[in-house]
Amino acid sequence: KELTKMQPIYHVVADALNSICGMKPRYYHSGLLENILQVLMLFNRSSVEQDPLYATAYLGSVLDMLAGGSGGGGIASLIECQLGFKRSDPMFKDGMTTEEFLSRVYKIGRSRTWHGSNPDLRKDWTNIRLRSEVICRWVFLVICWKIYEEPETQSFKKFRSRK
């Protein structure tokens, strides 16, 4: 019964996975399906990564992709529009706000790590990694559901606004 509830999400992901085999998309824009595949590959990479910092960097990249490649501001808009958390809202029980979360995951975890200037390299990134996985998963599921409802969608950028 639970799997049936998630059928719209499976429908979108299956179309993306079918494209790997050379099958033409049945319902969705092929460029968007390519983006879904990239998100799945990076999320998978984060899942198998042993180092929590690098896993967080991959997840920061996933959030950036889901926001249409628009950086921290676009990710904040995406999270607000899709999950309902404003920048100053606490996202977690310890009070960490959306802004603080994005600073850790995107600004420091992703950007500063990939550019070799992470000031927190020796800190424990385990908790941020876990939080990033949860947020990425929820945003991805919500977006896939909306793509199912609006198959004419051509880009993830659409999900940064409520239009």
Side-chain angles (χ1 to χ4, degrees):
K1 191 172 184 174
E2 289 299 314
L3 292 177
T4 304
K5 290 180 186 176
M6 303 296 276
Q7 188 173 5
I9 294 166
Y10 300 140
H11 197 272
V12 172
V13 172
D15 218 21
L17 293 173
N18 284 340
S19 70
I20 293 174
C21 303
M23 296 173 66
K24 290 190 178 195
R26 294 178 298 169
Y27 306 104
Y28 310 104
H29 189 271
S30 60
L32 186 66
L33 295 177
E34 290 292 322
N35 294 143
I36 290 171
L37 286 174
Q38 290 175 350
V39 165
L40 290 171
M41 289 188 294
L42 265 183
F43 192 87
N44 177 65
R45 184 70 185 115
S46 75
S47 299
V48 299
E49 176 58 55
Q50 297 290 320
D51 186 299
L53 171 58
Y54 286 104
T56 301
Y58 288 122
L59 292 163
S61 296
V62 167
L63 285 172
D64 193 30
M65 286 174 150
L66 291 170
S70 59
I75 298 170
S77 296
L78 175 74
I79 288 174
E80 181 177 347
C81 291
Q82 302 310 319
L83 301 182
F85 293 104
K86 295 182 177 150
R87 291 173 193 245
S88 60
D89 288 348
M91 292 182 80
F92 304 96
K93 288 182 181 180
D94 66 358
M96 179 182 269
T97 65
T98 303
E99 192 72 43
E100 292 166 333
F101 171 75
L102 290 177
S103 176
R104 299 290 300 152
V105 173
Y106 184 77
K107 185 177 179 183
I108 298 171
R110 177 209 171 265
S111 296
R112 305 255 336 244
T113 297
W114 291 148
H115 294 287
S117 60
N118 185 335
D120 298 334
L121 195 61
R122 291 183 179 95
K123 290 187 178 178
D124 183 2
W125 285 81
T126 305
N127 191 35
I128 294 296
R129 174 193 192 157
L130 296 173
R131 290 175 177 198
S132 302
E133 286 176 358
V134 169
I135 297 301
C136 284
R137 188 177 308 115
W138 276 109
V139 171
F140 182 70
L141 293 174
V142 169
I143 285 176
C144 284
W145 194 284
K146 290 185 176 189
I147 291 169
Y148 176 81
E149 291 176 340
E150 301 174 36
E152 70 281 356
T153 302
Q154 295 186 19
S155 168
F156 284 141
K157 292 178 183 178
K158 169 184 183 150
F159 302 109
R160 294 190 316 239
S161 65
R162 296 190 190 270
K163 297 177 188 176

